[in-house]
Amino acid sequence: MWRLNIADGGNDPYIFSTNNFVGRQIWEFDPDYGTPEDRAKVEANRENFRKNRFKVKASSDLLWQIQLEEKKNRKRIVKEGKKIVKALKEKNFKQTIPQVKVGDDEEITYEATTRAVRRGAHFLSALQASDGHWPAENAGALFLFPPMVISLYVTGHLNAVFPAEHRKEILRYLYNHQNEDGGWGLHIEGNSTMFCTTLSYICMRILGEGPDGGEDNACAKGRKWILDRGGVTFIPSWGKTWLSILGVFDWAGVNPMLPELWILPSFLPIHPENFFCHSRMVYLPMSYLYGKRFVGPITPLILQLRAELHTQPYQEINWKKVRHLCAREDLYNPHYLIQDLFWDSLHIFAEPLLTCWPFSKLRERALQKIMKHIHYEDENSRYINIGNTGKVICMLACWVEDPGADYFRKHLARIPDYIWIAEDGMKMQGFGSQTWDTSFNIQALLACDITDEMGPTFMKGHDFLKKSQVRDNPSEDFKTMFRHICKGAWTFSDGDNGWQASDCTAEGLKCCLLFSMMPPEIVGEKMEANRLYDAVNIMLSFQSKNGGLSAWEPAGAPQWLELLNPSELFADLVIEHEYVECTASAIQALVLFKMLYPHHRKKEIEDAITNAMQYIEDTQMPDGSWYGNWGVCFIYGTYFALEGLAAAGRTYDNCLAVRKAVGFLLKSQQNDGGWGESHLSCLNKKYIPLEGNRSNLVQTGWALLGLICSGQVQKDPTPLHRAAKLLINSQMEDGGFPQQEITGVYVKNAMLHYGAYRNVFPLWAIAEYRRQILLP
């Protein structure tokens, strides 16, 4: 049976940490763990998901929650040296507060709402891990796991890293998320794509399934989907790269990724220093493997895949003619003719020249420079890297450079940091979201206003945040390695990751400032002022001239660089941009900081807040909404914008932008009192309700929170009462809320499942409703 280990570095000599692995969450298979009753419950949850997989496609983290169920008169022996998560069965938790239901003709009372708040708060508190963070899934993208399997197959480490039980769960996940047409989408709720269908098919074959094997003929259905659309020559560029590495494609059919870009003078706009950090950390190792023309061992399986996935004999394919092919299902970011001409000129003129002496010396120098950057990034992120996509290919590049070196072994030691297991199987996370989720959990519980019942929870959460703050900038001369300052930041995941994020820093800082106003005997000693100053310094460094804040690094590269986007799958991928959510989070944190530390960089902070508010107002859509970049979608963006404007004193009465935003939310409220927005809004950049005008409880929570802070209650509280009634009546027996559609997003069309959201935002909204509207 699987169990989740917390803050566990294990005994691997190739792993190291800056904070004793605080925030680390890794799954381990233990054949002796759990009772027969536990195992039966796991299987029942798996079967239930399988039966309903086309209705609700995101998991409910039930394997993790089985560790959180009451199990009286039984204690588990904790292995020496490991800090195993304290499950509810060890906490002896049982929901004792009666469930609340409000009738159609009943008014919501303060007493009923208090019960719902306390039920949710105690359940949320019980989900907290021993190191103070809230473990939860952050996955959903289907292009993450297959490259890891391919890399481990190529390097010969597949069975060592993923033994039988791992492989079984990886296959379970693939089966559960195969679409009815036989393909796989870019994410678990997406329509089928050539990219993910091909990668998933190859993954199943590598893991031991035959060409017609797999549950419900999964392989045969997947292959038919591929061949019906012209075969894998129509896979987009990222897929062409991975298939070339595997030996199922030829590098001649891949658009050039010149390593020489990395040795250009840095003042040139096209230097990769100006690229969006996630793109930079993907194309850095990709260009190394392209420059090396690396191809893995040609095994019998590879020869079979060549025959199975192409519509003509492999030896007869004209690779030069397939470089620009892309299946229409994958073509979210079509290339302009000028882009194709650019890639053609590189392929016809630059690439042949750079591979001939004496210009080949430049390539050798470029490849050495790339590996220097990869090793630097690996060490400064403790081999976690900025995200899964970059980590996998950096790991492979390290093996290609030197299979026996410690670099590769250090990468292997950090693979478990990205794995999550639930009732739908084993998945690969794009990141962990430990710090991000913990900040929201804390704020939701603070809004519940029952501090006397949450003291130990707050103490641990506060301690986690203090230990997770990044304490130092990247090593050496980090600017020459294209890195920004990170001292004082919070990351999206844990402290070891090391990659600063503006909104994560803002939310972490908000929590620490709120705790600083509470008794230390309840929440622990407040954070030192200098560390708060460091966090403020990070946030100010992210602000652009237009007042907006970027996410990971300061924006400022020329917008025209987006015309060179080599990806057909993702838009706005080349440079960093400003985001309304990051800007709004920063406003809230800076306003609170200014109140508590009024003399620190007073003028700079006041100007930053003013400019940030102007950015938010300037980016409002004509219908009153804001486009959300990290959540679905206009409801998410509008929620953040309203919170930011309200923190700076903008209300319905004194701000036109707030009035327009309220109008948007009220217009989109559903008949049942909730809100529900489709992930298609993110792709199409226009508001699209859920099919059948369904409501989503997380989005309802966002909308209700936005309306409360806008001052809507003074105008007409009826819409708020309707929303609160829906949330209260949707609370489950254990105090949590049901899983519905996924509500996170990355680069517009890669949806993410934030497993924590379903229990955080509905509770937070009910708590604010109780605190600000239903006064006792």
Side-chain angles (χ1 to χ4, degrees), residues 255-284:
N255 281 326
M257 294 175 281
L258 300 182
E260 290 75 16
L261 281 177
W262 299 90
I263 56 174
L264 290 175
S266 60
F267 63 80
L268 293 176
I270 62 170
H271 190 281
E273 178 183 17
N274 294 312
F275 293 175
F276 177 44
C277 55
H278 282 274
S279 296
R280 189 169 70 237
M281 290 312 304
V282 169
Y283 284 103
L284 177 74

PDB file of all heavy atoms in Angstrom, residues 255-284:
ATOM      1  N   ASN A 255      12.996  21.201 -36.486  1.00  0.00           N
ATOM      2  CA  ASN A 255      13.499  22.552 -36.722  1.00  0.00           C
ATOM      3  C   ASN A 255      14.715  22.827 -35.844  1.00  0.00           C
ATOM      4  O   ASN A 255      14.766  22.399 -34.688  1.00  0.00           O
ATOM      5  CB  ASN A 255      12.415  23.589 -36.429  1.00  0.00           C
ATOM      6  CG  ASN A 255      11.419  23.715 -37.559  1.00  0.00           C
ATOM      7  OD1 ASN A 255      11.769  23.575 -38.729  1.00  0.00           O
ATOM      8  ND2 ASN A 255      10.157  23.970 -37.221  1.00  0.00           N
ATOM      9  N   PRO A 256      15.702  23.544 -36.373  1.00  0.00           N
ATOM     10  CA  PRO A 256      16.956  23.744 -35.637  1.00  0.00           C
ATOM     11  C   PRO A 256      16.753  24.427 -34.284  1.00  0.00           C
ATOM     12  O   PRO A 256      15.936  25.338 -34.142  1.00  0.00           O
ATOM     13  CB  PRO A 256      17.770  24.627 -36.575  1.00  0.00           C
ATOM     14  CG  PRO A 256      17.235  24.341 -37.939  1.00  0.00           C
ATOM     15  CD  PRO A 256      15.762  24.111 -37.728  1.00  0.00           C
ATOM     16  N   MET A 257      17.506  23.942 -33.297  1.00  0.00           N
ATOM     17  CA  MET A 257      17.617  24.586 -31.977  1.00  0.00           C
ATOM     18  C   MET A 257      19.101  24.829 -31.751  1.00  0.00           C
ATOM     19  O   MET A 257      19.798  24.019 -31.138  1.00  0.00           O
ATOM     20  CB  MET A 257      17.019  23.690 -30.885  1.00  0.00           C
ATOM     21  CG  MET A 257      15.520  23.486 -31.010  1.00  0.00           C
ATOM     22  SD  MET A 257      14.838  22.315 -29.801  1.00  0.00           S
ATOM     23  CE  MET A 257      15.299  20.753 -30.561  1.00  0.00           C
ATOM     24  N   LEU A 258      19.597  25.925 -32.286  1.00  0.00           N
ATOM     25  CA  LEU A 258      21.034  26.145 -32.372  1.00  0.00           C
ATOM     26  C   LEU A 258      21.655  26.364 -30.997  1.00  0.00           C
ATOM     27  O   LEU A 258      21.314  27.332 -30.300  1.00  0.00           O
ATOM     28  CB  LEU A 258      21.335  27.345 -33.256  1.00  0.00           C
ATOM     29  CG  LEU A 258      20.842  27.267 -34.711  1.00  0.00           C
ATOM     30  CD1 LEU A 258      21.264  28.510 -35.469  1.00  0.00           C
ATOM     31  CD2 LEU A 258      21.356  26.011 -35.401  1.00  0.00           C
ATOM     32  N   PRO A 259      22.606  25.524 -30.604  1.00  0.00           N
ATOM     33  CA  PRO A 259      23.306  25.767 -29.338  1.00  0.00           C
ATOM     34  C   PRO A 259      24.073  27.080 -29.346  1.00  0.00           C
ATOM     35  O   PRO A 259      24.324  27.671 -28.290  1.00  0.00           O
ATOM     36  CB  PRO A 259      24.256  24.558 -29.235  1.00  0.00           C
ATOM     37  CG  PRO A 259      23.715  23.531 -30.162  1.00  0.00           C
ATOM     38  CD  PRO A 259      23.042  24.277 -31.266  1.00  0.00           C
ATOM     39  N   GLU A 260      24.439  27.552 -30.550  1.00  0.00           N
ATOM     40  CA  GLU A 260      25.254  28.756 -30.652  1.00  0.00           C
ATOM     41  C   GLU A 260      24.544  30.005 -30.136  1.00  0.00           C
ATOM     42  O   GLU A 260      25.206  31.015 -29.855  1.00  0.00           O
ATOM     43  CB  GLU A 260      25.684  28.965 -32.108  1.00  0.00           C
ATOM     44  CG  GLU A 260      26.691  27.958 -32.618  1.00  0.00           C
ATOM     45  CD  GLU A 260      26.088  26.598 -32.922  1.00  0.00           C
ATOM     46  OE1 GLU A 260      24.837  26.496 -33.025  1.00  0.00           O
ATOM     47  OE2 GLU A 260      26.860  25.628 -33.064  1.00  0.00           O
ATOM     48  N   LEU A 261      23.222  29.942 -30.006  1.00  0.00           N
ATOM     49  CA  LEU A 261      22.509  31.090 -29.426  1.00  0.00           C
ATOM     50  C   LEU A 261      23.045  31.436 -28.042  1.00  0.00           C
ATOM     51  O   LEU A 261      23.032  32.596 -27.633  1.00  0.00           O
ATOM     52  CB  LEU A 261      21.014  30.782 -29.328  1.00  0.00           C
ATOM     53  CG  LEU A 261      20.159  30.894 -30.584  1.00  0.00           C
ATOM     54  CD1 LEU A 261      18.736  30.473 -30.276  1.00  0.00           C
ATOM     55  CD2 LEU A 261      20.195  32.310 -31.136  1.00  0.00           C
ATOM     56  N   TRP A 262      23.521  30.428 -27.326  1.00  0.00           N
ATOM     57  CA  TRP A 262      23.934  30.629 -25.931  1.00  0.00           C
ATOM     58  C   TRP A 262      25.294  31.305 -25.803  1.00  0.00           C
ATOM     59  O   TRP A 262      25.684  31.684 -24.697  1.00  0.00           O
ATOM     60  CB  TRP A 262      23.918  29.290 -25.196  1.00  0.00           C
ATOM     61  CG  TRP A 262      22.552  28.695 -25.185  1.00  0.00           C
ATOM     62  CD1 TRP A 262      22.008  27.857 -26.106  1.00  0.00           C
ATOM     63  CD2 TRP A 262      21.518  28.953 -24.231  1.00  0.00           C
ATOM     64  NE1 TRP A 262      20.702  27.558 -25.797  1.00  0.00           N
ATOM     65  CE2 TRP A 262      20.377  28.216 -24.638  1.00  0.00           C
ATOM     66  CE3 TRP A 262      21.452  29.713 -23.059  1.00  0.00           C
ATOM     67  CZ2 TRP A 262      19.175  28.223 -23.930  1.00  0.00           C
ATOM     68  CZ3 TRP A 262      20.261  29.723 -22.342  1.00  0.00           C
ATOM     69  CH2 TRP A 262      19.143  28.986 -22.783  1.00  0.00           C
ATOM     70  N   ILE A 263      26.016  31.460 -26.910  1.00  0.00           N
ATOM     71  CA  ILE A 263      27.294  32.170 -26.843  1.00  0.00           C
ATOM     72  C   ILE A 263      27.249  33.485 -27.619  1.00  0.00           C
ATOM     73  O   ILE A 263      28.277  34.119 -27.839  1.00  0.00           O
ATOM     74  CB  ILE A 263      28.454  31.285 -27.360  1.00  0.00           C
ATOM     75  CG1 ILE A 263      28.201  30.792 -28.780  1.00  0.00           C
ATOM     76  CG2 ILE A 263      28.688  30.111 -26.401  1.00  0.00           C
ATOM     77  CD1 ILE A 263      29.387  30.039 -29.393  1.00  0.00           C
ATOM     78  N   LEU A 264      26.046  33.893 -28.020  1.00  0.00           N
ATOM     79  CA  LEU A 264      25.900  35.219 -28.621  1.00  0.00           C
ATOM     80  C   LEU A 264      26.140  36.305 -27.575  1.00  0.00           C
ATOM     81  O   LEU A 264      25.965  36.066 -26.370  1.00  0.00           O
ATOM     82  CB  LEU A 264      24.495  35.376 -29.204  1.00  0.00           C
ATOM     83  CG  LEU A 264      24.140  34.567 -30.457  1.00  0.00           C
ATOM     84  CD1 LEU A 264      22.672  34.760 -30.793  1.00  0.00           C
ATOM     85  CD2 LEU A 264      25.019  34.974 -31.637  1.00  0.00           C
ATOM     86  N   PRO A 265      26.495  37.514 -27.996  1.00  0.00           N
ATOM     87  CA  PRO A 265      26.601  38.616 -27.034  1.00  0.00           C
ATOM     88  C   PRO A 265      25.265  38.842 -26.341  1.00  0.00           C
ATOM     89  O   PRO A 265      24.211  38.844 -26.975  1.00  0.00           O
ATOM     90  CB  PRO A 265      26.986  39.814 -27.913  1.00  0.00           C
ATOM     91  CG  PRO A 265      27.616  39.218 -29.130  1.00  0.00           C
ATOM     92  CD  PRO A 265      26.912  37.915 -29.352  1.00  0.00           C
ATOM     93  N   SER A 266      25.293  39.017 -25.039  1.00  0.00           N
ATOM     94  CA  SER A 266      24.053  39.079 -24.264  1.00  0.00           C
ATOM     95  C   SER A 266      23.224  40.320 -24.542  1.00  0.00           C
ATOM     96  O   SER A 266      22.042  40.363 -24.191  1.00  0.00           O
ATOM     97  CB  SER A 266      24.368  38.992 -22.765  1.00  0.00           C
ATOM     98  OG  SER A 266      25.198  40.061 -22.384  1.00  0.00           O
ATOM     99  N   PHE A 267      23.819  41.348 -25.188  1.00  0.00           N
ATOM    100  CA  PHE A 267      23.032  42.547 -25.461  1.00  0.00           C
ATOM    101  C   PHE A 267      22.077  42.356 -26.639  1.00  0.00           C
ATOM    102  O   PHE A 267      21.182  43.168 -26.865  1.00  0.00           O
ATOM    103  CB  PHE A 267      23.961  43.751 -25.725  1.00  0.00           C
ATOM    104  CG  PHE A 267      24.839  43.609 -26.938  1.00  0.00           C
ATOM    105  CD1 PHE A 267      24.356  43.850 -28.225  1.00  0.00           C
ATOM    106  CD2 PHE A 267      26.168  43.234 -26.798  1.00  0.00           C
ATOM    107  CE1 PHE A 267      25.172  43.721 -29.339  1.00  0.00           C
ATOM    108  CE2 PHE A 267      26.985  43.100 -27.904  1.00  0.00           C
ATOM    109  CZ  PHE A 267      26.492  43.342 -29.179  1.00  0.00           C
ATOM    110  N   LEU A 268      22.233  41.265 -27.381  1.00  0.00           N
ATOM    111  CA  LEU A 268      21.333  41.028 -28.506  1.00  0.00           C
ATOM    112  C   LEU A 268      19.960  40.587 -27.999  1.00  0.00           C
ATOM    113  O   LEU A 268      19.861  39.754 -27.094  1.00  0.00           O
ATOM    114  CB  LEU A 268      21.916  39.954 -29.419  1.00  0.00           C
ATOM    115  CG  LEU A 268      23.200  40.320 -30.177  1.00  0.00           C
ATOM    116  CD1 LEU A 268      23.697  39.123 -30.965  1.00  0.00           C
ATOM    117  CD2 LEU A 268      22.948  41.498 -31.108  1.00  0.00           C
ATOM    118  N   PRO A 269      18.884  41.117 -28.576  1.00  0.00           N
ATOM    119  CA  PRO A 269      17.533  40.755 -28.094  1.00  0.00           C
ATOM    120  C   PRO A 269      17.236  39.267 -28.185  1.00  0.00           C
ATOM    121  O   PRO A 269      16.465  38.745 -27.383  1.00  0.00           O
ATOM    122  CB  PRO A 269      16.604  41.564 -29.015  1.00  0.00           C
ATOM    123  CG  PRO A 269      17.442  42.678 -29.530  1.00  0.00           C
ATOM    124  CD  PRO A 269      18.835  42.138 -29.633  1.00  0.00           C
ATOM    125  N   ILE A 270      17.837  38.571 -29.171  1.00  0.00           N
ATOM    126  CA  ILE A 270      17.513  37.155 -29.340  1.00  0.00           C
ATOM    127  C   ILE A 270      18.358  36.259 -28.440  1.00  0.00           C
ATOM    128  O   ILE A 270      18.241  35.027 -28.516  1.00  0.00           O
ATOM    129  CB  ILE A 270      17.674  36.704 -30.804  1.00  0.00           C
ATOM    130  CG1 ILE A 270      19.120  36.872 -31.273  1.00  0.00           C
ATOM    131  CG2 ILE A 270      16.696  37.425 -31.695  1.00  0.00           C
ATOM    132  CD1 ILE A 270      19.385  36.216 -32.624  1.00  0.00           C
ATOM    133  N   HIS A 271      19.177  36.845 -27.580  1.00  0.00           N
ATOM    134  CA  HIS A 271      19.939  36.015 -26.648  1.00  0.00           C
ATOM    135  C   HIS A 271      18.973  35.341 -25.676  1.00  0.00           C
ATOM    136  O   HIS A 271      18.024  35.981 -25.186  1.00  0.00           O
ATOM    137  CB  HIS A 271      20.959  36.853 -25.879  1.00  0.00           C
ATOM    138  CG  HIS A 271      21.935  36.029 -25.094  1.00  0.00           C
ATOM    139  ND1 HIS A 271      21.608  35.465 -23.872  1.00  0.00           N
ATOM    140  CD2 HIS A 271      23.206  35.652 -25.363  1.00  0.00           C
ATOM    141  CE1 HIS A 271      22.648  34.777 -23.430  1.00  0.00           C
ATOM    142  NE2 HIS A 271      23.630  34.877 -24.302  1.00  0.00           N
ATOM    143  N   PRO A 272      19.158  34.069 -25.353  1.00  0.00           N
ATOM    144  CA  PRO A 272      18.230  33.353 -24.459  1.00  0.00           C
ATOM    145  C   PRO A 272      18.099  33.970 -23.072  1.00  0.00           C
ATOM    146  O   PRO A 272      17.145  33.627 -22.359  1.00  0.00           O
ATOM    147  CB  PRO A 272      18.837  31.951 -24.387  1.00  0.00           C
ATOM    148  CG  PRO A 272      19.625  31.801 -25.647  1.00  0.00           C
ATOM    149  CD  PRO A 272      20.158  33.164 -25.951  1.00  0.00           C
ATOM    150  N   GLU A 273      18.993  34.854 -22.696  1.00  0.00           N
ATOM    151  CA  GLU A 273      18.853  35.561 -21.422  1.00  0.00           C
ATOM    152  C   GLU A 273      17.513  36.267 -21.332  1.00  0.00           C
ATOM    153  O   GLU A 273      16.950  36.452 -20.243  1.00  0.00           O
ATOM    154  CB  GLU A 273      19.992  36.569 -21.265  1.00  0.00           C
ATOM    155  CG  GLU A 273      19.933  37.407 -20.010  1.00  0.00           C
ATOM    156  CD  GLU A 273      21.037  38.442 -19.942  1.00  0.00           C
ATOM    157  OE1 GLU A 273      21.642  38.737 -20.997  1.00  0.00           O
ATOM    158  OE2 GLU A 273      21.304  38.960 -18.840  1.00  0.00           O
ATOM    159  N   ASN A 274      16.980  36.669 -22.485  1.00  0.00           N
ATOM    160  CA  ASN A 274      15.716  37.402 -22.523  1.00  0.00           C
ATOM    161  C   ASN A 274      14.490  36.495 -22.545  1.00  0.00           C
ATOM    162  O   ASN A 274      13.369  36.989 -22.539  1.00  0.00           O
ATOM    163  CB  ASN A 274      15.691  38.308 -23.761  1.00  0.00           C
ATOM    164  CG  ASN A 274      16.727  39.396 -23.694  1.00  0.00           C
ATOM    165  OD1 ASN A 274      16.855  40.084 -22.684  1.00  0.00           O
ATOM    166  ND2 ASN A 274      17.507  39.557 -24.760  1.00  0.00           N
ATOM    167  N   PHE A 275      14.704  35.179 -22.589  1.00  0.00           N
ATOM    168  CA  PHE A 275      13.572  34.257 -22.691  1.00  0.00           C
ATOM    169  C   PHE A 275      12.893  34.068 -21.333  1.00  0.00           C
ATOM    170  O   PHE A 275      13.500  34.216 -20.274  1.00  0.00           O
ATOM    171  CB  PHE A 275      14.035  32.888 -23.193  1.00  0.00           C
ATOM    172  CG  PHE A 275      14.532  32.877 -24.616  1.00  0.00           C
ATOM    173  CD1 PHE A 275      15.085  31.722 -25.167  1.00  0.00           C
ATOM    174  CD2 PHE A 275      14.470  34.013 -25.414  1.00  0.00           C
ATOM    175  CE1 PHE A 275      15.549  31.695 -26.466  1.00  0.00           C
ATOM    176  CE2 PHE A 275      14.940  33.997 -26.718  1.00  0.00           C
ATOM    177  CZ  PHE A 275      15.481  32.825 -27.248  1.00  0.00           C
ATOM    178  N   PHE A 276      11.618  33.711 -21.381  1.00  0.00           N
ATOM    179  CA  PHE A 276      10.863  33.280 -20.216  1.00  0.00           C
ATOM    180  C   PHE A 276      11.607  32.112 -19.566  1.00  0.00           C
ATOM    181  O   PHE A 276      12.035  31.176 -20.240  1.00  0.00           O
ATOM    182  CB  PHE A 276       9.466  32.855 -20.676  1.00  0.00           C
ATOM    183  CG  PHE A 276       8.558  32.301 -19.625  1.00  0.00           C
ATOM    184  CD1 PHE A 276       8.439  32.894 -18.387  1.00  0.00           C
ATOM    185  CD2 PHE A 276       7.779  31.183 -19.898  1.00  0.00           C
ATOM    186  CE1 PHE A 276       7.579  32.379 -17.426  1.00  0.00           C
ATOM    187  CE2 PHE A 276       6.914  30.664 -18.963  1.00  0.00           C
ATOM    188  CZ  PHE A 276       6.819  31.262 -17.712  1.00  0.00           C
ATOM    189  N   CYS A 277      11.787  32.178 -18.251  1.00  0.00           N
ATOM    190  CA  CYS A 277      12.677  31.228 -17.582  1.00  0.00           C
ATOM    191  C   CYS A 277      12.271  29.772 -17.821  1.00  0.00           C
ATOM    192  O   CYS A 277      13.141  28.896 -17.982  1.00  0.00           O
ATOM    193  CB  CYS A 277      12.759  31.532 -16.089  1.00  0.00           C
ATOM    194  SG  CYS A 277      11.173  31.582 -15.228  1.00  0.00           S
ATOM    195  N   HIS A 278      10.985  29.470 -17.864  1.00  0.00           N
ATOM    196  CA  HIS A 278      10.570  28.082 -18.098  1.00  0.00           C
ATOM    197  C   HIS A 278      10.932  27.633 -19.511  1.00  0.00           C
ATOM    198  O   HIS A 278      11.381  26.498 -19.712  1.00  0.00           O
ATOM    199  CB  HIS A 278       9.071  27.931 -17.853  1.00  0.00           C
ATOM    200  CG  HIS A 278       8.709  27.869 -16.406  1.00  0.00           C
ATOM    201  ND1 HIS A 278       8.719  26.697 -15.683  1.00  0.00           N
ATOM    202  CD2 HIS A 278       8.353  28.841 -15.534  1.00  0.00           C
ATOM    203  CE1 HIS A 278       8.375  26.953 -14.423  1.00  0.00           C
ATOM    204  NE2 HIS A 278       8.142  28.238 -14.313  1.00  0.00           N
ATOM    205  N   SER A 279      10.768  28.519 -20.482  1.00  0.00           N
ATOM    206  CA  SER A 279      11.183  28.182 -21.843  1.00  0.00           C
ATOM    207  C   SER A 279      12.696  28.047 -21.922  1.00  0.00           C
ATOM    208  O   SER A 279      13.215  27.132 -22.580  1.00  0.00           O
ATOM    209  CB  SER A 279      10.717  29.270 -22.818  1.00  0.00           C
ATOM    210  OG  SER A 279       9.323  29.331 -22.865  1.00  0.00           O
ATOM    211  N   ARG A 280      13.384  28.942 -21.263  1.00  0.00           N
ATOM    212  CA  ARG A 280      14.852  28.896 -21.277  1.00  0.00           C
ATOM    213  C   ARG A 280      15.368  27.574 -20.731  1.00  0.00           C
ATOM    214  O   ARG A 280      16.284  26.970 -21.280  1.00  0.00           O
ATOM    215  CB  ARG A 280      15.390  30.062 -20.446  1.00  0.00           C
ATOM    216  CG  ARG A 280      16.882  30.267 -20.546  1.00  0.00           C
ATOM    217  CD  ARG A 280      17.291  31.587 -19.922  1.00  0.00           C
ATOM    218  NE  ARG A 280      17.157  31.594 -18.474  1.00  0.00           N
ATOM    219  CZ  ARG A 280      16.413  32.466 -17.786  1.00  0.00           C
ATOM    220  NH1 ARG A 280      15.714  33.375 -18.431  1.00  0.00           N
ATOM    221  NH2 ARG A 280      16.375  32.425 -16.470  1.00  0.00           N
ATOM    222  N   MET A 281      14.737  27.111 -19.641  1.00  0.00           N
ATOM    223  CA  MET A 281      15.208  25.888 -19.003  1.00  0.00           C
ATOM    224  C   MET A 281      14.733  24.630 -19.722  1.00  0.00           C
ATOM    225  O   MET A 281      15.160  23.533 -19.380  1.00  0.00           O
ATOM    226  CB  MET A 281      14.777  25.850 -17.543  1.00  0.00           C
ATOM    227  CG  MET A 281      15.498  26.860 -16.665  1.00  0.00           C
ATOM    228  SD  MET A 281      17.292  26.870 -16.873  1.00  0.00           S
ATOM    229  CE  MET A 281      17.725  25.166 -16.553  1.00  0.00           C
ATOM    230  N   VAL A 282      13.878  24.769 -20.721  1.00  0.00           N
ATOM    231  CA  VAL A 282      13.528  23.639 -21.589  1.00  0.00           C
ATOM    232  C   VAL A 282      14.423  23.627 -22.821  1.00  0.00           C
ATOM    233  O   VAL A 282      15.007  22.596 -23.190  1.00  0.00           O
ATOM    234  CB  VAL A 282      12.043  23.693 -21.996  1.00  0.00           C
ATOM    235  CG1 VAL A 282      11.745  22.689 -23.106  1.00  0.00           C
ATOM    236  CG2 VAL A 282      11.161  23.419 -20.795  1.00  0.00           C
ATOM    237  N   TYR A 283      14.556  24.788 -23.465  1.00  0.00           N
ATOM    238  CA  TYR A 283      15.325  24.838 -24.705  1.00  0.00           C
ATOM    239  C   TYR A 283      16.830  24.806 -24.465  1.00  0.00           C
ATOM    240  O   TYR A 283      17.592  24.485 -25.391  1.00  0.00           O
ATOM    241  CB  TYR A 283      14.923  26.062 -25.523  1.00  0.00           C
ATOM    242  CG  TYR A 283      13.582  25.855 -26.204  1.00  0.00           C
ATOM    243  CD1 TYR A 283      12.425  26.449 -25.708  1.00  0.00           C
ATOM    244  CD2 TYR A 283      13.477  25.028 -27.314  1.00  0.00           C
ATOM    245  CE1 TYR A 283      11.195  26.224 -26.305  1.00  0.00           C
ATOM    246  CE2 TYR A 283      12.253  24.804 -27.924  1.00  0.00           C
ATOM    247  CZ  TYR A 283      11.110  25.407 -27.424  1.00  0.00           C
ATOM    248  OH  TYR A 283       9.901  25.171 -28.025  1.00  0.00           O
ATOM    249  N   LEU A 284      17.280  25.110 -23.258  1.00  0.00           N
ATOM    250  CA  LEU A 284      18.699  24.979 -22.930  1.00  0.00           C
ATOM    251  C   LEU A 284      19.171  23.538 -23.126  1.00  0.00           C
ATOM    252  O   LEU A 284      20.064  23.272 -23.948  1.00  0.00           O
ATOM    253  CB  LEU A 284      18.942  25.457 -21.493  1.00  0.00           C
ATOM    254  CG  LEU A 284      20.350  25.325 -20.936  1.00  0.00           C
ATOM    255  CD1 LEU A 284      21.264  26.382 -21.546  1.00  0.00           C
ATOM    256  CD2 LEU A 284      20.347  25.487 -19.407  1.00  0.00           C
TER     257      LEU A 284
END
